[in-house]
Amino acid sequence: LAVNNATPADGDDLGLLGFTDTSNIPVAYVRGRRDAGTWTSSSSMPTKLTFHTTADGVTIPTERMVIDSSGNVGVGTTSPGAKLDVRGSSTGEVKIRLDENGSFQAALQLRGNDLEIRGSSGTIEFYRGNADEASSTEIARFDTSGRLGVGTSSPDSTLELAAGPPSFKLTRNTTASTG
């Protein structure tokens, strides 16, 4: 554990919690750093935490995650632009796994818009309402056979519209030109 000076410049280390092998070679660490902004001792001290781990086949830890002075969390980025900012490498893909005890039953709740997307046993379900999992109403579902039901939780064809009264609308843009 280390402590740095009282008036650090942007990016300076404030402290470090390191993990080493038996030869004292760093393999992982959590670093406290001065973040951008105005530093005034005891009244304004913007800081961030960075988390570093060592991948298989290399010997130098790499920054994997950051929590900045705004409370934004970045995974795969050093400058998160949202409360959770997850980015992949240029050659990889980005996945976010929501898993409940290995059964892949999960829900993504967007409370500001009262929308839920749930996944369970091979289905994807869309809900609207209070986003509290109790009083929300299912509006659509993809079942385990890939059928889409709108207004029904058990579609019996590739696309089933069960809203009352049933309606389906296709609109053609008449101002667009084709070549």
Side-chain angles (χ1 to χ4, degrees), residues 49-99:
L49 290 176
T50 59
F51 298 80
H52 306 253
T53 62
T54 304
D56 188 24
V58 296
T59 58
I60 298 172
T62 301
E63 183 176 319
R64 308 293 181 177
M65 186 175 80
V66 62
I67 303 172
D68 71 12
S69 60
S70 299
N72 293 343
V73 177
V75 178
T77 177
T78 58
S79 302
K83 286 297 174 193
L84 177 60
D85 191 343
V86 180
R87 301 185 192 187
S89 67
S90 60
T91 59
E93 60 183 286
V94 175
K95 291 182 183 179
I96 297 175
R97 177 175 284 177
L98 304 173
D99 191 353

Side-chain angles (χ1 to χ4, degrees), residues 19-62:
F19 304 89
T20 66
D21 67 3
T22 56
S23 301
N24 290 325
I25 296 173
V27 295
Y29 50 88
V30 179
R31 177 178 269 157
R33 289 189 147 164
R34 157 88 189 273
D35 206 357
T38 303
W39 186 279
T40 305
S41 190
S42 77
S43 66
S44 177
M45 297 176 277
T47 56
K48 65 181 174 180
L49 290 176
T50 59
F51 298 80
H52 306 253
T53 62
T54 304
D56 188 24
V58 296
T59 58
I60 298 172
T62 301

